[in-house]
Amino acid sequence: MFIVIGIMFAGIGTGFLLRNRKLPGLSQLTMVLIWLLLFLLGLEVGHNEALIRNLHALGLEAFVLAIAGVLGSVIAARLLWVYLYRRKGAKR
Amino acid sequence: MKGSLIIVSFFLLGTLCGISDLIPESLTSGQLSFYALCALMFSVGISIGHSPDTLKSFRALNPRLGLLPVLTIVGTLAGVAAAWLVLPGRSLTDCLAIGSGFGYYSLSSIFITTYKGAELGTVALLSNIFRELITLIGAPLLVRWFGSLAPISAGGATTMDTTLPIITRYSGHEFVIVSLFHGFVVDFSVPFLVTFFCSLG
């Protein structure tokens, strides 16, 4: 976890040193890595037989909980967003 | 939207390859994901460091945004408590324990499997995978409907690694520090909150 954060800071340093150069293909590389990680996540799920067998029932339940959790948190985030915007005029 | 569909396609393709045993399991048990994540974070870092103007904006970060992790936690727990009302056969504490994963599916499902058994552990795994997927797919819509902080709250514990690239893309580079701080705090709360709610039930 901290290794990953450390690597990102190393990237920030590298990017800063290269700030006067154009870096074509960087955002494409980022997208390809996201695709690879999602593919590997799917692979892990697909290999788990017990999980696949009960997927329909457990999956629906899991989905309801995920949607509810996301909705609750984004409504809370909206409240903070509105509160900050009204007080300081969108100071970030 | 096209980008999100491609992401889901890769996830589904991976699932199908897993079911059909087309690709050996050793690929997932190895270090490949970790190295891919490291490479991802390095390229995200480069894109941040490459634009010093973005770094300057971090200094002007509103300290009140430090409240965001608390709102994420409270909002999530309120949301899953509401979901408990429509889910028969699950206790309130079970729902709260699953919600307390905040997208951190690996750790939370291991904890819940240990305390509550494999079935609830599986629900926790799926629910938190869904949370990460919803954030990855829904980020542009969440920004439009609930403001730029919404993908960060939705991302929960994942906002300092896996969902950070998407957040940077749709909320903007100026939210990277908030996102890292948020991910750190929420991530840290996962083992404590999951254990707490499992011990109550």
Side-chain angles (χ1 to χ4, degrees):
Chain A
M1 194 165 82
F2 292 101
I3 295 170
V4 175
I5 297 288
I7 284 170
M8 194 197 67
F9 280 107
I12 292 176
T14 310
F16 188 73
L17 293 173
L18 298 173
R19 67 189 177 282
N20 294 324
R21 293 191 200 180
K22 291 216 158 135
L23 297 174
L26 187 68
S27 63
Q28 285 92 329
L29 175 70
T30 307
M31 284 318 290
V32 168
L33 287 167
I34 291 174
W35 296 341
L36 175 65
L37 280 162
L38 265 289
F39 178 78
L40 290 172
L41 177 59
L43 205 57
E44 210 173 326
V45 172
H47 272 296
N48 193 328
E49 264 179 59
L51 206 152
I52 292 292
R53 229 179 289 124
N54 291 316
L55 210 62
H56 52 287
L58 299 179
L60 181 68
E61 213 174 332
F63 190 70
V64 170
L65 285 167
I67 289 282
V70 167
L71 268 182
S73 68
V74 295
I75 289 168
R78 174 76 190 170
L79 294 176
L80 181 65
W81 183 247
V82 169
Y83 171 75
L84 291 174
Y85 194 87
R86 212 187 280 159
R87 272 180 83 97
K88 295 262 174 172
K91 189 187 169 190
R92 292 168 188 169
Chain B
M1 194 60 206
K2 193 180 145 212
S4 305
L5 287 175
I6 296 172
I7 287 174
V8 177
S9 317
F10 272 93
F11 174 76
L12 291 176
L13 189 68
T15 312
L16 290 174
C17 288
I19 293 171
S20 61
D21 242 342
L22 211 64
I23 291 174
E25 200 176 358
S26 54
L27 196 68
T28 56
S29 54
Q31 291 279 296
L32 184 60
S33 325
F34 181 72
Y35 290 133
L37 184 62
C38 289
L40 178 65
M41 296 318 289
F42 191 69
S43 73
V44 168
I46 290 177
S47 73
I48 296 165
H50 197 242
S51 45
D53 293 343
T54 310
L55 292 174
K56 275 180 206 150
S57 73
F58 296 162
R59 284 191 221 128
L61 188 82
N62 191 330
R64 285 169 208 274
L65 287 177
L67 281 174
L68 190 61
V70 179
L71 286 163
T72 299
I73 291 168
V74 173
T76 301
L77 296 180
V80 292
W84 165 68
L85 298 172
V86 298
L87 289 177
R90 293 280 174 221
S91 70
L92 177 60
T93 49
D94 285 357
C95 292
L96 291 171
I98 291 169
S100 298
F102 303 110
Y104 198 169
Y105 51 86
S106 52
L107 188 82
S108 68
S109 63
I110 290 167
F111 267 78
I112 291 174
T113 303
T114 308
Y115 291 126
K116 295 277 176 176
E119 192 193 288
L120 200 68
T122 305
V123 179
L125 176 71
L126 288 173
S127 186
N128 286 289
I129 287 175
F130 285 148
R131 179 158 186 167
E132 189 179 314
L133 286 174
I134 289 166
T135 307
L136 291 170
I137 296 161
L141 289 176
L142 290 175
V143 168
R144 202 181 305 160
W145 293 339
F146 298 97
S148 299
L149 296 176
I152 304 175
S153 269
T158 69
T159 62
M160 63 173 184
D161 38 62
T162 48
T163 58
L164 184 59
I166 292 289
I167 290 164
T168 337
R169 208 179 156 104
Y170 292 106
S171 298
H173 277 198
E174 64 269 35
F175 290 97
V176 166
I177 291 294
V178 192
S179 188
L180 285 173
F181 174 75
H182 176 272
F184 185 84
V185 175
V186 176
D187 202 293
F188 195 69
S189 78
V190 170
F192 297 101
L193 287 174
V194 169
T195 306
F196 175 68
F197 289 122
C198 284
S199 70
L200 286 181

